[in-house]
Amino acid sequence: MSETPIQETHVASVPAKATSADPGPTWEDLRERVLAALDEDPVNTALLARHLDHRDTSLTDASERILATLTGMTPGTGESRRLLEEALTVRERWRRERGRPVPLRLALLDLLLAENRRRPDPWLMELRLSTAPSTGRVADPTQGVTSQSALTGALQAELRRAQRFGHECALVRLGLDDWTDLVWRVGSATAERYLGESAMAIKNEIRDVDWAARTPGNDMILFLAGTGRFGALLVANRVADKLARLALPGAPAGQETRASIGLAAFPTDARFGWELMAAARNAMFRARANGGACISDQSAPSVRRLQKVAPESVRIVVRALDPEAEGAPPASHRDGILFTSPVPYDVGSLVELECIEVAGKGCTVLTGRVVRLEERHDGEGYDVGVACHLLPGQTSLIHGRAARQSD
């Protein structure tokens, strides 16, 4: 990826009339080649792709439209085709010789300047420079890409701040599962606009103290300040739900946007910016390997054995107790139960659970502390994990097997 931006340049010239009746390459063919070249230049891609389909419609020739978009110059149909073809060839040669991508607009400007020195009637070229997006800071994901070095630097600064004040923080990485198919189906310009809409939806789900950015690989990074693992999971669920409501361009009606989401927490999973970035990236790949459209946590598997309660067989009545009550059990039990509740009980709170068998007479009372809280993917309540001591008979009851065993 090109890390050094070029300045946006507009060239004013004296228009020339078309000299060739050859229909030449089609608009879609040229558009695909140009967008493929721009994909290797993330600083200019977002800017140029937004304008590529919205230039002067009076220019019917594809080459003229593309040249006008890239340089602001319209030298005529024949000249436009020749210059664009030569620029694409020169850029590819430079890429092989220099071992790194070269912006297409830079190749065009170099070609135009060399051409102007040889012309008997030189073009009047008026260059106007404007500030390009900086690669040294975090860019707005709806407008452009942030370089890897800028992401790592910004993340490291946040981690130093969190360490100084003893705060938690988390990093969420999101990748669209159908991105490659989307680009193939609707083209890079439309896919770029859709990615901007997705970025806006994601930004609306975070606070002002958080930030979001887009990586050169078109993934989304969310940094959540002062947020632990459970808070990051809640944010990830809200983001996934919001993205599912966006209409996917060119897809059948009803098809939802699928995203693989990975998260990592500081200081549990990593202590440095690059390490936290790698942990969230690995978690995202794990979610994609599991079939996509899911959330993966980078943390090590929990040592607790939380057993899922069968909701159709066992009803649970929850009573909140005084957490400082004498003889209250600690949260160090390795066993426990996991059940669904409409109430988001605070992690660490002391609760009494009355487990009543629906199709039988079995009943047991458990006392423990809440050690896990996650919002359900369907949005209907929360998964609450309670650490408590379970006897063999109680284990059978919470799985709805007590009545069958008594028979």
Side-chain angles (χ1 to χ4, degrees):
M1 288 288 180
S2 171
E3 297 292 343
T4 305
I6 64 169
Q7 300 295 320
E8 184 183 359
T9 308
H10 303 276
V11 183
S13 64
V14 180
K17 295 183 179 180
T19 57
S20 174
D22 180 17
T26 65
W27 163 246
E28 287 299 327
D29 292 339
L30 278 176
R31 180 175 174 277
E32 287 185 12
R33 292 180 62 189
V34 171
L35 285 176
L38 292 176
D39 279 341
E40 297 185 9
D41 178 28
V43 174
N44 292 293
T45 298
L47 175 67
L48 297 175
R50 284 197 302 273
H51 297 287
L52 200 54
D53 290 335
H54 302 284
R55 278 284 174 174
D56 188 359
T57 55
S58 64
L59 301 174
T60 56
D61 184 74
S63 302
E64 282 190 288
R65 291 178 62 186
I66 291 177
L67 206 68
T69 299
L70 296 176
T71 66
M73 184 177 182
T74 54
T77 303
E79 289 289 337
S80 297
R81 292 179 188 174
R82 182 182 62 82
L83 288 170
L84 184 58
E85 192 63 37
E86 289 185 16
L88 287 167
T89 304
V90 168
R91 175 193 168 277
E92 183 62 25
R93 187 179 74 248
W94 283 358
R95 187 190 64 79
R96 291 195 304 267
E97 292 174 353
R98 302 180 184 187
R100 61 181 178 85
V102 177
L104 176 59
R105 187 159 49 180
L106 183 61
L108 259 175
L109 288 175
D110 184 80
L111 186 63
L112 286 171
L113 291 173
E115 182 95 1
N116 217 28
R117 287 194 294 267
R118 298 192 299 265
R119 288 180 62 90
D121 50 342
W123 287 310
L124 177 61
M125 304 178 67
E126 215 174 81
L127 300 183
R128 186 182 65 196
L129 303 182
S130 59
T131 304
S134 171
T135 58
R137 59 180 175 82
V138 176
D140 186 340
T142 63
Q143 301 294 328
V145 176
T146 300
S147 67
Q148 190 69 31
S149 59
L151 278 174
T152 305
L155 186 56
Q156 188 61 41
E158 295 284 3
L159 296 192
R160 284 196 298 267
R161 186 179 298 109
Q163 190 172 20
R164 184 183 310 125
F165 295 103
H167 292 167
E168 293 181 305
C169 57
L171 191 71
V172 177
R173 182 157 182 154
L174 179 148
L176 299 179
D177 294 334
D178 303 319
W179 173 252
T180 303
D181 292 339
L182 180 64
V183 174
W184 178 84
R185 187 168 60 242
V186 300
S188 296
T190 302
E192 169 70 26
R193 288 195 292 271
Y194 175 72
L195 197 59
E197 294 176 6
S198 303
M200 183 60 69
I202 291 172
K203 285 179 60 180
N204 290 338
E205 293 301 318
I206 60 178
R207 306 161 299 175
D208 292 340
V209 295
D210 306 325
W211 50 262
R214 192 195 316 178
T215 70
N218 292 317
D219 294 336
M220 293 291 175
I221 293 286
L222 281 73
F223 175 80
L224 307 175
T227 302
R229 190 181 308 280
F230 295 121
L233 282 170
L234 294 178
V235 172
N237 276 300
R238 289 203 307 268
V239 166
D241 182 63
K242 186 63 71 69
L243 289 179
R245 302 177 189 176
L246 292 180
L248 198 61
Q255 181 175 337
E256 297 181 348
T257 301
R258 293 163 42 87
S260 297
I261 304 177
L263 62 91
F266 170 86
T268 308
D269 300 327
R271 301 189 64 85
F272 303 100
W274 63 268
E275 192 178 14
L276 191 66
M277 189 85 70
R281 183 169 178 264
N282 291 340
M284 183 193 71
F285 286 153
R286 185 181 299 115
R288 189 163 291 167
N290 290 335
C294 66
I295 302 171
S296 176
D297 188 352
Q298 171 61 20
S299 65
S302 173
V303 297
R304 303 185 191 277
R305 295 187 294 268
L306 300 180
Q307 303 186 43
K308 181 72 174 178
V309 175
E312 68 279 357
S313 303
V314 178
R315 183 167 63 90
I316 294 183
V317 179
V318 183
R319 299 183 183 89
L321 303 178
D322 182 3
E324 305 300 330
E326 184 177 354
S332 56
H333 289 298
R334 297 187 61 179
D335 298 324
I337 64 174
L338 184 68
F339 62 95
T340 300
S341 171
V343 180
Y345 294 97
D346 293 334
V347 174
S349 59
L350 184 66
V351 293
E352 180 184 82
L353 309 176
E354 184 177 3
C355 307
I356 305 171
E357 198 170 20
V358 175
K361 300 180 180 180
C363 179
T364 187
V365 177
L366 303 172
T367 303
R369 290 189 182 272
V370 178
V371 295
R372 180 175 171 183
L373 176 66
E374 295 181 12
E375 186 178 11
R376 293 178 59 84
H377 293 287
D378 55 13
E380 297 182 359
Y382 303 84
D383 286 335
V384 181
V386 176
C388 54
H389 182 61
L390 291 174
L391 298 176
Q394 294 171 328
T395 302
S396 299
L397 187 141
I398 64 172
H399 285 292
R401 297 196 298 264
R404 293 195 298 272
Q405 290 181 356
S406 62
D407 292 342

